[in-house]
């Protein structure tokens, strides 16, 4: 049985199902809230912190993607403080690795690039770290470029939850964290990878891309996750 | 602070970049004629001026800060300009010019020159060449910057949107589609 709750969203009274997350409700209301680690159809990670919102009574901003709605909740999505925090997050991401948009395969089609533009990140206030990172081009069809990875783990989740292979995982801690294939063996040697390419398509940046693509040539297809989930759960196969 | 002829005093500077931003500036085409009616180009790679002049209204700076000559010119242009604009991704982020930062300076010079076909001065003896900084920096990490025009290079439309606002004495507020790094 569906329980309905009522909450206040940016001053408006809104009804929602009790099993929804705040992000679901905010998106239903056509409020533009940026996300990078969220992907419809995958489990939530709550890691990128772009979807932080102000919940009255809460001691700190809450990530909307992992916050369930509750009766009487009072939520604000676009206060100056929240916008400031979102810009900080994007600037830190841009400073952490080598996101050189001008020479990226997804230049013009990148979630991070557009998040920065939408949030008004005109420049990065932090020192760029310029880490010396590797690429893995051992796979026959795809390339992993750690320089452009933001550790959103969409690749890890789609591989585990949709493809069922769990080739991808995370190794290391803090700034040394890396996505890995199998037990950190080269992607091309992975016995578990089915070469389905789902990870490449859900990757928000140029960290995973198809071999042969050069600057700005690659666009990514994200809708397929929804098609597969709908097919599996509702037996409605449309695309 | 305008010229005696009532025109805005405009300068453009080329630091560590490929000159692509200046090429894109020239791609303003007929708008250059409008610009010439309202601004006087007092210093630029495409103007005959050897020293960065005093009393400049708006300075567009292409390129990242990569050597000690760049640092000196950056401080000079900041002191002599009312509005300083980071013009293009190298000035804004370091961009391609800063790709060398992941390597040590010695490794860069070795890879480019000493293991290459020719010999090049290191720049640290007798200052024959400008001395490279250990790390390439975006302009705003060297001097305060008032406005940013991202892009590699910025499309002429972006340049005009920013320059037109500055000519009118307004702040640079580019629409989202003109604010992306790279594209």
């Amino acid at each position: 049985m569906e329980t309905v709750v009522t909450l206040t969203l940016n001053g408006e009274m809104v009804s929602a199902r009790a099993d929804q997350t705040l992000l679901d409700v905010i998106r239903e209301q056509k409020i533009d809230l940026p996300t990078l680690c969220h992907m419809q159809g995958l489990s939530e990670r709550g890691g990128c912190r772009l979807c932080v919102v102000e919940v009255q009574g809460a001691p700190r901003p809450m990530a909307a993607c992992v916050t369930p709605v509750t009766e009487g909740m009072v939520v604000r999505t676009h206060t100056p403080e929240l916008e400031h925090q979102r810009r900080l997050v994007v600037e830190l991401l841009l400073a952490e690795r080598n996101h050189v948009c001008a020479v990226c395969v997804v230049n013009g089609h990148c979630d991070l690039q557009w998040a920065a533009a939408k949030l008004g990140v005109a420049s990065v206030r932090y020192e760029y770290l310029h880490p010396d990172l590797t690429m893995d081009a051992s796979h026959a069809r795809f390339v992993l470029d750690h320089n452009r990875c933001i550790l959103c783990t969409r690749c890890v989740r789609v591989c585990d939850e949709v493809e069922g292979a769990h080739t991808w995982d995370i190794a290391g801690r803090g700034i040394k964290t890396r996505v890995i294939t199998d037990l950190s063996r080269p992607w091309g040697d992975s016995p578990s990878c089915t070469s389905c390419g789902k990870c490449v398509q859900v990757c928000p940046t140029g960290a995973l891309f198809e071999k042969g693509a050069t600057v700005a040539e690659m666009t990514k297809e994200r809708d397929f996750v929804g098609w597969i989930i709908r097919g599996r759960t509702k037996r409605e196969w449309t695309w | 602070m305008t010229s005696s002829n009532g025109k805005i005093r405009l300068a453009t500077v080329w630091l560590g970049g490929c000159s692509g931003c200046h090429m894109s500036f020239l791609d303003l085409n007929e708008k250059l004629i409008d610009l010439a009616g309202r601004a006087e180009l007092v210093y630029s790679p495409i103007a005959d001026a050897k020293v960065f002049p005093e009393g400049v209204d708006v300075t567009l700076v292409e390129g990242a800060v990569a050597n000690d000559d760049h640092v000196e010119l950056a401080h000079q242009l900041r002191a002599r300009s009312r509005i300083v604009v980071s013009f293009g991704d190298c000035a804004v982020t370091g961009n391609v010019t800063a790709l060398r930062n992941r390597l040590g300076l010695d490794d860069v010079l070795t890879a480019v020159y000493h293991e290459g076909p020719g010999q090049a001065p290191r720049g640290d003896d007798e200052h024959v060449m400008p001395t490279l900084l250990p790390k390439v920096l975006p302009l705003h990490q060297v001097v305060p910057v008032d406005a940013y025009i991202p892009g590699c290079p910025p499309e002429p439309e972006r340049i005009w949107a920013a320059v037109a606002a500055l000519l009118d004495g307004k702040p640079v507020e580019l629409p989202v589609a003109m604010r992306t790094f790279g594209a």
Side-chain angles (χ1 to χ4, degrees), chain B residues 21-174:
Chain B
C21 299
H22 273 85
M23 294 300 121
S24 197
F25 182 83
L26 293 176
D27 284 341
L28 285 170
N29 298 334
E30 73 272 18
K31 291 212 170 57
L32 287 170
I33 298 169
D34 298 346
L35 185 63
R38 300 184 60 190
E40 185 180 348
L41 193 61
V42 294
Y43 182 88
S44 173
I46 53 169
D48 187 16
K50 301 286 180 267
V51 179
F52 194 91
E54 300 279 353
V56 177
D57 291 303
V58 176
T59 300
L60 305 181
V61 183
E62 168 184 346
V65 179
N67 64 41
D68 58 351
D69 278 10
H70 295 157
V71 174
E72 190 182 334
L73 183 51
H75 285 289
Q76 194 173 57
L77 72 88
R78 176 68 273 186
R80 298 176 180 179
S81 311
R82 197 161 54 82
I83 295 169
V84 173
V85 183
S86 279
F87 174 34
D89 274 0
C90 289
V92 178
T93 74
N95 197 32
V96 172
T97 312
L99 280 173
R100 76 153 158 96
N101 288 0
R102 54 179 276 277
L103 303 167
L105 194 51
D106 283 336
D107 292 339
V108 171
L109 291 167
T110 301
V112 175
Y113 295 112
H114 300 286
E115 288 177 358
Q119 292 261 314
R122 285 277 314 241
D124 43 9
D125 8 276
E126 297 171 26
H127 210 256
V128 180
M129 297 261 288
T131 305
L132 295 177
L133 302 182
K135 297 273 184 192
V136 174
L137 300 169
L139 184 64
H140 67 271
Q141 290 181 5
V142 179
V143 294
V145 168
D146 304 298
Y148 299 86
I149 309 175
C152 183
E155 295 283 318
E157 292 74 20
R158 293 185 185 199
I159 300 171
W160 185 247
V163 169
L166 291 167
L167 287 176
D168 291 338
K170 293 178 183 161
V172 174
E173 287 170 353
L174 300 174

Side-chain angles (χ1 to χ4, degrees), chain A residues 1 12 17 29 32-33 41 48 51 65 71 74 80 83 127 145 149 151 168 175 207 213 215-216 224:
Chain A
M1 198 182 76
E12 303 273 333
R17 292 196 319 275
Q29 296 300 315
D32 190 13
L33 197 63
C48 78
C51 71
C65 65
E71 180 62 37
V74 178
E83 292 287 86
E127 190 179 333
D145 182 356
C149 176
L151 300 169
W168 290 103
I175 206 156
V215 172
F224 75 91

